[in-house]
Amino acid sequence: GAGVSQSPSNKVTEKGKDVELRCDPISGHTALYWYRQSLGQGLEFLIYFQGNSAPDKSGLPSDRFSAERTGGSVSTLTIQRTQQEDSAVYLCASSAQLAGGTDTQYFGPGTRLTVL
Amino acid sequence: AQSVTQLGSHVSVSEGALVLLRCNYSSSVPPYLFWYVQYPNQGLQLLLKYTSAATLVKGINGFEAEFKKSETSFHLTKPSAHMSDAAEYFCAVSTLNQGGKLIFGQGTELSVKP
């Protein structure tokens, strides 16, 4: 595809349920990032992938959050036992990662998660 | 560690007036600085970035920003606001060897009055 895509666009779940959020990066982009955007916390970094490995998971807020990337492409962010404070827009971005951190990150439209 | 502070969560200007959105950063190593724009219900789009070349950076839609090391600032300007500029603007910082991880400011919502 031409850009980063995310699915679903909206997800409503009940407290305690598990959810999976998907990100399809731009083809050929080796770096993939997850961010969270919420009213109280603004835009926060969650995790970064280079290829299939995650050198930086420092932003994951708790062990209920995990992410994986397979085939150097699609990534899934999983939230277990969701809590109301997990409600936010989850944004994915990808970059070619050729220039040591200065590459432009291209963002997807996000997944709006609502935990009831 | 790096951080970004955006002064003013809301800025309102008249159409045709100067736009000035303020961003100050903190970094113990040379920073890379970015401005992103987010239109309602859309993802973020890069406006411009500073990567240690020219300190005055020109971006899309007539925006520009100047890196001032002495003031630790990277303010965003546009000489003449257009109605279509109404959006939320985010300043962000990253550094070498951080994998490109972006640390964002809290954002500034720009309103443009006719």
Side-chain angles (χ1 to χ4, degrees), chain A residues 5 56 83:
Chain A
S5 60
D56 190 345
Q83 303 295 311

Side-chain angles (χ1 to χ4, degrees), chain A residues 1-6 23-35 47-51 69 72-75 91-98 101-109, chain B residues 34 36 44-46 49 99-102 104:
Chain A
V4 177
S5 60
Q6 293 185 245
C23 173
D24 282 89
I26 291 172
S27 178
H29 278 189
T30 58
L32 186 147
Y33 306 81
W34 283 98
Y35 297 88
I47 186 170
Y48 147 64
F49 287 92
Q50 179 61 40
R69 189 179 185 195
S73 181
V74 172
S75 176
L91 294 169
C92 175
S94 69
S95 78
Q97 192 63 308
L98 298 174
T102 64
D103 302 85
T104 297
Q105 292 184 28
Y106 295 87
F107 282 78
Chain B
F34 305 78
Y36 279 85
L44 279 75
Q45 179 184 7
L46 181 71
K49 62 182 177 182
K101 171 173 79 175
L102 293 172
F104 286 91

Side-chain angles (χ1 to χ4, degrees), chain A residues 31 33 35 37 39-45 48 56 58 91 97 99-109 112, chain B residues 32 34 36 38 41-46 49-51 88 90 94-106:
Chain A
Y33 306 81
Y35 297 88
Q37 185 173 24
L39 282 176
Q41 302 297 323
L43 263 165
E44 307 170 276
F45 166 81
Y48 147 64
D56 190 345
S58 62
L91 294 169
Q97 192 63 308
T102 64
D103 302 85
T104 297
Q105 292 184 28
Y106 295 87
F107 282 78
R112 181 175 298 278
Chain B
Y32 304 132
F34 305 78
Y36 279 85
Q38 186 177 34
N41 299 314
Q42 294 187 27
L44 279 75
Q45 179 184 7
L46 181 71
K49 62 182 177 182
Y50 165 76
T51 59
E88 188 148 22
F90 292 93
S94 74
T95 59
L96 189 63
N97 299 327
Q98 290 277 306
K101 171 173 79 175
L102 293 172
I103 305 301
F104 286 91
Q106 289 296 307

Side-chain angles (χ1 to χ4, degrees), chain B residues 52-66:
Chain B
S52 76
T55 56
L56 181 63
V57 181
K58 294 187 184 299
I60 62 171
N61 301 337
F63 285 94
E64 64 180 40
E66 186 171 8

